[in-house]
Amino acid sequence: MSDAATTDQPAAFADRRRDQSSRRRLRPLSQRAWAALLLAPAVIAVILFRLVPFMQAAISSFEDPDGGYSLATYEFMFTSPDFLNSLRVTLWFNLLINPFQILVALALAVLLTQKLPAGRLWRTLAYAPTAIPIAVSAIVWRVAYRPDDGPINAVLEAIGLPTQGFLIDQGQVIPSLIVMASWVGVGYWMIFLIAGLNDIPSEYYEAAAIDGAGWWRSFFHITLPLLRRPLAFVLIADTVVNFLTFAPIQILTSGGPNGASDVIMWSTYEQAYRFGDYPLAAAQVVVIMAILLVIVTVQFGMLRTGEKV
């Protein structure tokens, strides 16, 4: 080996070390830059179409009819029987529909992850209503719920049962809306739960079977604990979606009969576009966002709890 080659080896080694060190320093920065670049459109859209309108609504909610800013709109809103009724109906609607939808979606997810004949077909049929636009679904159910010539009442009459009012009955309008909304939403949430069930390693069930655990014991001690994270997501996302329900109310009931389905979103629409009371509508939006913020906070708390399992 020549003296020149012996002298160049340390220099070449030092160059390679500098190149590797430079790449290690640049790579994280480049990844962050790509991440920021890819996220920028979504962040800008959220700021322009969510945060800015909300801030404008929040400022408008404090506008005083006599000029300036005050809490007069909030004082009026929280003493208004109409708003309190809307708040009560919204909470009652969510209290009923969310557990119902999640239980049905969970039952379908567990059933359709078993080895059933034509399992893919059943999954497709369960998910199919989700692909139908909500306005079309509402129109279909409006026909089905007709008190005089609707197909549901025709079936009830054919088997000797009394016909029902459904959407025109104060005591039946909320359950009728829950059935319609669940027909659309259950298949969607079922897909998330099926994905969570498929992520549970089969070795856990095999070990439980060897120890003599039955199906129910495996379900409560393996399936539910390991499904907590998807369930938490579905619970909170479903609550947010149902809290903002508007189109079925507008198409099917318009808040009636006698305010029995007057949820907050419909009330806000009425105040803004029918009565032209934008400060009151904005104040109701602020209340909606405050309630949803609490729900999202609970969601993150449940997700952190799920990670410790």
Side-chain angles (χ1 to χ4, degrees):
M1 182 177 293
S2 65
D3 294 343
T6 306
T7 307
D8 291 342
Q9 282 183 349
F13 180 74
D15 291 341
R16 287 199 298 272
R17 290 289 301 271
R18 280 196 294 274
D19 291 341
Q20 292 174 354
S21 177
S22 176
R23 283 198 293 269
R24 281 197 294 269
R25 286 197 302 271
L26 292 175
R27 188 177 301 155
L29 180 61
S30 177
Q31 289 176 345
R32 294 191 193 101
W34 272 109
L37 185 63
L38 295 173
L39 287 173
V43 173
I44 293 172
V46 169
I47 292 173
L48 290 180
F49 301 115
R50 299 291 183 183
L51 293 182
V52 171
F54 173 71
M55 293 305 299
Q56 291 176 335
I59 294 172
S60 298
S61 69
F62 291 100
E63 290 180 354
D64 194 296
D66 299 326
Y69 295 93
S70 70
L71 294 174
T73 302
Y74 287 91
E75 292 175 359
F76 172 79
M77 181 177 66
F78 283 110
T79 56
S80 168
D82 292 336
F83 173 75
L84 295 178
N85 176 66
S86 297
L87 187 60
R88 181 187 62 79
V89 170
T90 303
L91 295 176
W92 180 240
F93 177 72
N94 277 269
L95 191 64
L96 293 177
I97 192 173
N98 295 320
F100 176 75
Q101 286 190 345
I102 291 170
L103 286 176
V104 175
L106 178 61
L108 285 175
V110 172
L111 179 64
L112 296 180
T113 49
Q114 309 299 313
K115 294 180 180 177
L116 298 176
R120 292 180 182 274
L121 173 63
W122 295 118
R123 286 190 192 185
T124 303
L125 291 176
Y127 183 76
T130 305
I132 300 174
I134 188 67
V136 176
S137 299
I139 293 172
V140 169
W141 279 93
R142 185 171 65 181
V143 174
Y145 281 143
R146 280 178 182 167
D148 298 327
D149 57 350
I152 297 178
N153 271 333
V155 172
L156 293 176
E157 197 170 10
I159 60 177
L161 295 176
T163 58
Q164 306 297 320
F166 297 119
L167 299 176
I168 61 172
D169 188 306
Q170 280 186 257
Q172 296 179 6
V173 64
I174 290 296
S176 300
L177 289 171
I178 288 174
V179 171
M180 179 265 154
S182 300
W183 183 72
V184 176
V186 162
Y188 182 73
W189 304 121
M190 177 197 70
I191 294 299
F192 290 95
L193 298 179
I194 285 178
L197 288 171
N198 289 334
D199 282 342
I200 300 176
S202 59
E203 290 82 2
Y204 293 168
Y205 295 105
E206 294 170 359
I210 292 174
D211 290 340
W215 189 89
W216 286 107
R217 191 173 179 185
S218 297
F219 178 75
F220 284 108
H221 293 277
I222 297 176
T223 304
L224 279 185
L226 295 179
L227 201 60
R228 178 179 290 183
R229 189 181 178 91
L231 273 174
F233 166 76
V234 169
L235 169 65
I236 303 307
D238 190 31
T239 303
V240 172
V241 169
N242 289 321
F243 213 93
L244 300 178
T245 297
F246 173 74
I249 305 297
Q250 184 189 31
I251 295 171
L252 294 176
T253 67
S254 298
N258 295 326
S261 61
D262 186 15
V263 297
I264 286 184
M265 287 302 296
W266 172 254
S267 176
T268 302
Y269 170 82
E270 287 269 274
Q271 296 299 334
Y273 298 106
R274 182 179 177 188
F275 303 117
D277 194 344
Y278 292 106
L280 181 56
Q284 293 187 355
V285 169
V286 171
V287 171
I288 293 172
M289 293 304 297
I291 295 175
L292 291 181
L293 182 62
V294 173
I295 293 173
V296 171
T297 303
V298 173
Q299 174 191 19
F300 281 111
M302 295 177 69
L303 289 176
R304 281 197 294 269
T305 303
E307 290 173 350
K308 295 176 182 176
V309 174

